[in-house]
Amino acid sequence: MEAAWLSLGFGLLSALTWGAGDFGGGMASRSARTQTVVLWTSLLGGLLFLALALLGPEPFRPHDLPFALLGGALGALGLYSLYRALSQGSMSLAAPVAGVVGAALPVALGLLWEGWPGPLPALGLGVGLVGVWLASRPEGHASPVGLPWALLAGLGFGGFYVLMDRVEGLLWPAALGKLTAFALVLLLSPPHKGLPKGAVPWVLLAALGDAGGNLFFLLAAQAGRLDMAALASSFYPATTVLLAWLLLGERLGPGRKLGMLTCLLALGFIALG
């Protein structure tokens, strides 16, 4: 029970930090090229984790290397696609779509690999996916532009969840994953110019939020089951939607409110189990 609570708590912290970081990345991508935003976000997060890994007592585990490298590549795909979606369309539509697609794969594999979690947690998983889906439904004049990017982002995040669940370390896999993302973006799409001055604060928010989300997800996955950790972490769109509502005036209609309440209900079922 204690492990389940730890996993749930770390997953929710991951959702809070990832959601704030995605909002920052989406805002930065409105004035800067998406590749440049992902490049700086990955570099700053990678250097932060590398410094912590070098200063800390955690040993380097070579068997973590393939999972961290491939996970970092898929994470870069997810982050790039999400920032494109957030910059092109409605944040309150793109973020939840990426969340539900990203949660579906690790939830399915978690049930397959780790077995039936019990009636209440299983109900929580199902209700949680429904909640994220409800939050993703367009309302009013939410633009569907960017939706294909949001779907691709979800696939990238789902693969990231599954692969990073296989590592044993914490700081070294996080550092390798983010530096792999940086190298991949730099190789495939070198930046032609620097960041606009107005985008710098948003990039810093994106980097800190993304790094915190990665770290808390790893803690959640190592404390408990993959499906529970991934589902709780996938509630990050709620943070992005709330920030878009508070700061940008995007509409938060009945469907999205119901979706958020459904997500809270799902957390209750998981916690009680």
Side-chain angles (χ1 to χ4, degrees):
M1 178 64 75
E2 183 179 349
W5 277 99
L6 275 176
S7 180
L8 193 60
F10 284 133
L12 290 176
L13 287 173
S14 175
L16 288 173
T17 50
W18 256 335
D22 289 345
F23 180 82
M27 292 298 294
S29 296
R30 293 184 173 184
S31 60
R33 295 180 73 237
T34 304
Q35 296 95 319
T36 306
V37 176
V38 176
L39 193 74
W40 278 102
T41 300
S42 301
L43 176 61
L44 293 174
L47 291 177
L48 174 62
F49 284 131
L50 182 61
L52 293 174
L54 291 171
L55 293 173
E58 179 184 312
F60 176 76
R61 297 173 173 86
H63 52 272
D64 283 348
L65 190 60
F67 299 110
L69 295 180
L70 188 53
L74 289 177
L77 171 66
L79 201 61
Y80 173 81
S81 302
L82 182 62
Y83 289 174
R84 285 293 298 267
L86 293 174
S87 66
Q88 291 181 4
S90 167
M91 285 196 180
S92 52
L93 172 62
V97 168
V100 71
V101 175
L105 177 63
V107 165
L109 290 178
L111 291 172
L112 179 65
W113 291 340
E114 301 177 61
W116 187 252
L120 282 178
L123 181 61
L125 289 173
V127 170
L129 289 175
V130 171
V132 179
W133 176 77
L134 284 172
S136 73
R137 296 176 65 189
E139 295 179 340
H141 299 289
S143 172
V145 176
L147 192 58
W149 286 110
L151 294 171
L152 187 60
L155 293 175
F157 291 145
F160 169 84
Y161 289 144
V162 172
L163 287 164
M164 296 305 279
D165 177 62
R166 315 309 291 177
V167 304
E168 294 181 15
L170 187 64
L171 296 173
W172 280 109
L176 290 170
K178 298 313 297 178
L179 291 176
T180 298
F182 167 75
L184 186 64
V185 176
L186 185 64
L187 178 66
L188 297 179
S189 183
H192 299 296
K193 57 182 180 179
L195 283 171
K197 187 176 180 180
V200 172
W202 296 117
V203 168
L204 291 175
L205 175 61
L208 290 174
D210 182 59
N214 278 262
L215 183 63
F216 286 128
F217 169 73
L218 284 172
L219 289 168
Q222 292 176 8
R225 293 171 56 105
L226 167 63
D227 44 14
M228 305 296 182
L231 182 70
S233 299
S234 293
F235 291 156
Y236 68 85
T239 306
T240 309
V241 167
L242 286 173
L243 288 173
W245 172 60
L246 289 170
L247 301 180
L248 302 180
E250 290 194 4
R251 187 170 180 265
L252 188 62
R256 294 198 179 97
K257 292 176 183 176
L258 178 60
M260 292 182 187
L261 291 174
T262 306
C263 290
L264 292 175
L265 180 63
L267 292 175
F269 283 135
I270 294 172
L272 290 173

